[in-house]
Amino acid sequence: MSEDDRRSGERRRRWRQQTRMVRDGQVRSPHGETAEAMYLTSGYVYESAEQARDRFKGDADGYIYSRYGNPTVTMFEDRLAALEGAEACRATASGMSAVFASLMCQLNAGDHVVASRVLFGSCHVIVAELLPRYGIETTLVDGPDLDQWRAAMRPNTRCVFFETPANPTLELIDIQAVCEIAHEAGARVIVDNVFATPLLQKPMELGADIVVYSATKHIDGQGRVLGGAILSDQKFCDEELIPLYRHTGPSMSPFNAWVLLKGLETLELRVARMCDNAAEVARMLAETPGVLKTLYPERPDFPQAELYRRQMSRGSTLVSFEVEGGREAAFRLLNALETIDISNNLGDAKSLITHPATTTHQRFPPEEREAVGITEGLVRMSVGLEDVEDLKDDLRAAIAAI
Ligand SMILES: *Cc1c(COP(=O)(O)O)cnc(C)c1O
């Protein structure tokens, strides 16, 4: 059977999710390599002057320059698009370049953006500080409060942006309800789906127009490379995103695309185990004296347990908790850990822990921090792939040391 026959086969069209993550997107070279080829090239050569002309005009398929596209990057884009169920995907150098490009490609001076208040630190900087410098007004709302979303919509509202579960409180936002409010106002919805991963929550099925990822997190999942992605329909990608993307250069390196392609192959296995570990860590923390509050969406005592059941399939790989004694106690806890590392990264095979108020959310005004629940005693743990009993031993001993 030829490679072309195999690629168009009936069974292939019916592939289930995990098979697609191992196999989708791969285009083999004439060498027949098993693993995806890594095309470390910035440019491409043409067979003739006519071919170069036709590619530049868009009349012929083929690569032109790796700022526009690269075969290894395309393989990653196609595999992630298949997983998300999106028509189009563009890979970016980092999660932040995905967030920035997804907003900037469609906004003009005089437009208005509505975003949730609890955001990843750099996303907050883009929305609250950078966009206003270019004449784009922004309104921040309390994400779970639908009345605030409704009240914030204006005739010039072009985009709505939020993350759910949100960093670091794991607060949830009702994706379907916010999409309905935004669409009625004529605005597009961008969801930063990093904490849920493409596996635990499908924002497009709930109405989102655009989904963005930091692939640095679970998709790599082994702390090696930066990457990001923007998923959307084909029309938005072709008409709005690509004109900005091609000329401003947020492109992903082919090496990183190759690492992330291999990450997608094991994403489901890793995320499933990390969620099991996170649920078990949350269960232990909730029963530990000195822990005032444990936040994990899968728990029945989670404040938004009903919304969790409607839009997520697992509680994520993150657990946040508040210790008695504020900042001093939180620092003592972090410093007493022997297995879990202090790091603001997340989604890694290694369990990591951070104190948001003094790191990722240091730039937030203190009153705003307290108002959204980022207290001085709050710590956020990204639960990894270690044996969960070792993680529990480490946490128990460090909490006792407070
Ligand atoms: C990490 C992260 C980003 C930014 O991604 P980078 O790859 O670090 O640029 C954006 N949003 C969320 C929710 C994140 O966790």
Side-chain angles (χ1 to χ4, degrees):
M1 213 191 243
S2 78
E3 179 73 9
D4 281 349
D5 290 338
R6 285 169 50 83
R7 293 185 68 78
S8 59
E10 177 64 27
R11 288 192 297 281
R12 213 177 156 109
R13 277 198 293 278
R14 284 198 312 252
W15 275 345
R16 294 159 182 88
Q17 181 168 278
Q18 178 56 28
T19 309
R20 307 196 72 158
M21 277 201 278
V22 174
R23 293 184 168 273
D24 247 330
Q26 182 170 21
V27 177
R28 289 204 168 103
S29 81
H31 300 302
E33 62 281 353
T34 315
E36 295 73 8
M38 200 193 306
Y39 291 95
L40 288 181
T41 181
S42 48
Y44 305 86
V45 297
Y46 309 98
E47 281 165 17
S48 64
E50 289 77 7
Q51 189 187 47
R53 175 200 61 201
D54 292 346
R55 283 199 197 166
F56 269 83
K57 267 182 81 183
D59 291 346
D61 288 339
Y63 292 95
I64 296 174
Y65 188 49
S66 283
R67 169 150 46 79
Y68 301 176
N70 169 284
T72 311
V73 178
T74 304
M75 288 191 252
F76 169 69
E77 292 169 337
D78 289 350
R79 190 170 290 176
L80 185 57
L83 172 57
E84 192 70 33
E87 287 176 10
C89 173
R90 274 277 143 165
T92 55
S94 67
M96 286 324 302
S97 55
V99 170
F100 192 59
S102 71
L103 286 162
M104 285 312 262
C105 74
Q106 57 179 321
L107 291 169
N108 294 298
D111 287 342
H112 176 239
V113 173
V114 183
S116 56
R117 210 181 293 284
V118 185
L119 287 177
F120 182 76
S122 295
C123 296
H124 191 270
V125 172
I126 289 181
V127 170
E129 296 176 31
L130 288 180
L131 293 184
R133 280 178 41 196
Y134 298 96
I136 299 154
E137 285 184 290
T138 63
T139 303
L140 295 175
V141 299
D142 294 335
D145 185 347
L146 297 176
D147 287 335
Q148 288 194 30
W149 288 101
R150 274 187 211 100
M153 297 297 150
R154 296 187 201 159
N156 61 340
T157 306
R158 276 287 292 269
C159 276
V160 157
F161 177 77
F162 61 91
E163 61 186 52
T164 177
N167 184 29
T169 57
L170 306 182
E171 162 187 293
L172 305 185
I173 295 174
D174 187 332
I175 299 175
Q176 190 164 8
V178 174
C179 287
E180 280 166 18
I181 294 167
H183 291 158
E184 207 167 301
R188 282 208 187 99
V189 177
I190 307 174
V191 175
D192 178 338
N193 204 35
V194 170
F195 274 36
T197 80
L199 297 165
L200 309 181
Q201 172 172 276
K202 302 279 189 191
M204 285 183 173
E205 290 174 9
L206 300 167
D209 303 285
I210 296 151
V211 173
V212 291
Y213 287 105
S214 164
T216 316
K217 309 296 165 57
H218 305 83
I219 296 176
D220 175 8
Q222 288 147 87
R224 300 163 295 187
V225 300
L226 291 175
I230 304 166
L231 295 117
S232 66
D233 64 22
Q234 198 66 52
K235 189 169 186 298
F236 172 82
C237 184
D238 290 346
E239 293 176 9
E240 301 189 52
L241 178 59
I242 288 179
L244 178 109
Y245 180 97
R246 285 170 70 129
H247 303 297
T248 59
S251 331
M252 175 181 280
S253 105
F255 175 78
N256 289 9
W258 182 83
V259 172
L260 295 165
L261 261 167
K262 301 318 262 178
L264 284 174
E265 292 180 355
T266 57
L267 181 68
E268 190 171 284
L269 294 169
R270 289 183 286 109
V271 169
R273 173 64 69 85
M274 288 156 89
C275 287
D276 290 345
N277 285 355
E280 179 58 20
V281 163
R283 198 188 59 72
M284 182 219 91
L285 288 168
E287 292 167 358
T288 304
V291 176
L292 299 176
K293 187 160 70 177
T294 302
L295 296 166
Y296 188 61
E298 209 170 286
R299 285 185 58 77
D301 61 0
F302 188 69
Q304 299 167 290
E306 190 272 329
L307 177 56
Y308 158 74
R309 281 191 297 274
R310 262 195 286 139
Q311 69 182 23
M312 294 181 75
S313 56
R314 290 295 313 263
S316 93
T317 67
L318 291 120
V319 179
S320 291
F321 58 102
E322 190 175 344
V323 290
E324 200 175 344
R327 180 188 297 198
E328 216 179 301
F331 274 28
R332 243 184 264 142
L333 161 71
L334 264 57
N335 293 336
L337 291 165
E338 289 180 8
T339 307
I340 303 162
D341 293 310
I342 303 171
S343 170
N344 51 288
N345 201 4
L346 63 101
D348 199 276
K350 295 183 171 62
S351 290
L352 307 173
I353 201 161
T354 189
H355 182 247
T358 53
T359 58
T360 52
H361 291 72
Q362 195 187 118
R363 289 175 65 103
F364 278 54
E367 325 76 67
E368 205 170 306
R369 254 192 337 246
E370 289 286 331
V372 297
I374 308 171
T375 57
E376 291 288 328
L378 187 80
V379 296
R380 184 202 75 191
M381 177 173 170
S382 167
V383 183
L385 291 173
E386 300 92 340
D387 189 309
V388 72
E389 295 305 323
D390 289 326
L391 300 176
K392 285 157 66 185
D393 286 350
D394 202 28
L395 284 165
R396 265 195 225 102
I399 291 167
I402 295 176

